């Protein structure tokens, strides 16, 4: 099957610069369901439809990396039935989406400590990562059992170990050394971070990587966050002036 970027995907114009890497904290599924007097899993199921729509839209906009926060290290503390329901949905999503990913040139990658996931989920994840390896259209990063602090701690331990054994010299450590030891090694930092569901916090997501990301918080709960809301968010990004410490005049004159 073709993974050629131009084969089946018609590019869409957002009217301004699109971010290269969008990260999303997909929040609000549970409250969305509770508002409808339905179990929380009903909200998670509706949230999967949003995932499909946003992945497709990101791909057509020409976004290179889309990182979705799907399960945090803290989410293990939820009731057992909800955790196993989420794992089941993840497994079904991956099984159902492989053909579409290949058709649209979407490469799957994961960030997080995958070893703690149930074996059947781990198995389909690894197979999907392998089968989409040659896709060059967009990288879909699923953050699973992900926690920003534990990611940084692992990176620091590994760097310390390499310094101790002599393969790294502490005096020559740079920011790139840290980048290279994170799950996101080799990927650009997110330039746009969206959180749905009305909370204004990071919840341990990509703490190092979002240091200069543009932030976008919306009240819209994840199951209601579809193409229209995503385009609105991207338009907001397109209108912003990113100054990186300089003055507006410096940016305007290049
Ligand atoms: C986000 O929705 C999905 C996951 C964290 C897995 P929530 O389940 O957190 O929904 P709310 O925040 O309780 O509404
Ligand atoms: C963040 O949402 C994690 C994911 C979206 C996977 P949470 O709902 O778990 O975050 P808190 O508990 O509100 O901080
Ligand atoms: Mg939540």
């Amino acid at each position: 099957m073709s993974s050629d970027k131009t084969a089946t995907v018609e590019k869409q114009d957002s009217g301004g610069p699109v971010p290269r890497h969008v990260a999303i904290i997909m929040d609000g599924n549970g409250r969305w369901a509770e508002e409808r007097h339905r179990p929380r899993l009903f909200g998670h199921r509706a949230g999967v439809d949003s995932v499909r729509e946003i992945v497709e839209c990101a791909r057509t906009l020409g976004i290179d990396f889309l990182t979705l926060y799907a399960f945090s290290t803290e989410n293990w503390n939820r009731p057992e039935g909800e955790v196993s329901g989420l794992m089941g949905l993840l497994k079904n999503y991956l099984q159902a989406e492989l053909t579409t990913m290949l058709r649209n040139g979407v490469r799957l990658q994961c960030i997080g400590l995958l070893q703690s996931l149930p074996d059947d989920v781990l198995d389909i994840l690894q197979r999907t990562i392998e089968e989409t390896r040659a896709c060059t259209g967009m990288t879909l990063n699923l953050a699973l059992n992900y926690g920003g602090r534990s990611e940084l701690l692992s990176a620091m331990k590994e760097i310390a170990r390499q310094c101790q054994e002599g393969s790294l010299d502490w005096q020559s450590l740079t920011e790139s050394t840290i980048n290279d030891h994170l799950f996101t090694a080799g990927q650009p930092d997110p330039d746009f971070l969206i959180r749905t569901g009305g909370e204004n916090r990071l919840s341990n997501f990509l703490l190092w990587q979002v240091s200069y990301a543009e932030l976008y918080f919306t009240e819209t709960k994840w199951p209601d966050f579809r193409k229209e809301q995503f385009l609105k968010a991207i338009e907001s990004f397109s209108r912003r002036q990113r100054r990186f410490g300089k003055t507006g005049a410096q940016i305007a004159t290049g």
Side-chain angles (χ1 to χ4, degrees):
M1 198 164 300
S2 169
S3 57
D4 181 346
K5 194 171 180 167
T6 54
T8 51
V9 175
E10 215 169 291
K11 278 281 175 72
Q12 189 170 325
D13 193 354
S14 77
V18 294
R20 185 164 179 223
H21 185 167
V22 179
I24 308 182
I25 302 173
M26 309 183 289
D27 197 23
N29 294 349
R31 281 164 287 156
W32 185 90
E34 281 156 17
E35 277 167 11
R36 287 159 180 77
H37 309 287
R38 303 294 297 267
R40 291 177 60 86
L41 215 51
F42 179 72
H44 294 312
R45 217 170 280 129
V48 176
D49 294 332
S50 292
V51 170
R52 287 202 177 90
E53 199 165 314
I54 299 311
V55 169
E56 189 185 325
C57 188
R59 174 71 183 89
T60 56
L61 284 171
I63 288 164
D64 290 331
F65 294 85
L66 175 67
T67 298
L68 300 179
Y69 203 5
F71 196 86
S72 73
T73 45
E74 290 75 23
N75 288 148
W76 294 110
N77 297 320
R78 293 192 177 196
E80 204 184 309
E82 182 167 344
V83 171
S84 60
L86 281 165
M87 293 300 155
L89 284 176
L90 174 61
K91 189 176 157 191
N92 292 346
Y93 168 78
L94 292 169
Q95 275 165 342
E97 288 307 289
L98 179 61
T99 318
T100 312
M101 284 185 197
L102 291 170
R103 189 175 58 237
N104 293 339
V106 174
R107 176 181 182 178
L108 182 76
Q109 298 218 302
C110 287
I111 57 173
L113 288 171
L114 302 188
Q115 303 90 303
S116 314
L117 296 171
D119 286 345
D120 55 343
V121 174
L122 192 56
D123 187 54
I124 177 107
L125 266 175
Q126 282 166 341
R127 265 189 290 139
T128 312
I129 290 170
E130 194 48 47
E131 295 203 33
T132 60
R133 192 172 290 282
C135 295
T136 56
M138 180 179 84
T139 298
L140 170 62
N141 255 340
L142 286 185
L144 293 167
N145 190 23
Y146 176 86
R149 285 194 167 192
S150 82
E151 177 184 42
L152 281 166
L153 179 63
S154 308
M156 287 175 199
K157 281 184 172 169
E158 180 55 21
I159 292 168
R161 195 190 62 75
Q162 290 178 14
C163 286
Q164 197 174 34
E165 72 168 25
S167 57
L168 270 182
D169 169 15
W170 72 267
Q171 291 186 86
S172 54
L173 298 182
T174 63
E175 291 187 5
S176 299
T177 320
I178 296 177
N179 286 329
D180 294 345
H181 286 82
L182 300 176
F183 293 122
T184 47
Q187 301 183 357
D189 286 341
D191 28 30
F192 195 37
L193 174 76
I194 298 171
R195 182 173 186 142
T196 65
E199 310 294 357
N200 300 328
R201 55 178 171 255
L202 291 178
S203 302
N204 205 12
F205 192 41
L206 299 174
L207 299 179
W208 169 272
Q209 297 92 330
V210 297
S211 71
Y212 243 113
E214 295 295 323
L215 307 180
Y216 184 92
F217 296 102
T218 171
E219 291 292 324
T220 306
K221 297 178 182 71
W222 179 248
D224 287 331
F225 192 83
R226 299 297 172 100
K227 184 176 171 181
E228 187 192 332
Q229 289 75 19
F230 188 55
L231 289 175
K232 194 173 148 211
I234 299 293
E235 273 164 27
S236 158
F237 175 87
S238 306
R239 284 193 304 271
R240 299 183 190 188
Q241 186 188 51
R242 307 189 74 200
R243 291 194 283 279
F244 299 102
K246 295 183 180 176
T247 67
Q250 282 176 298
I251 300 294
T253 56

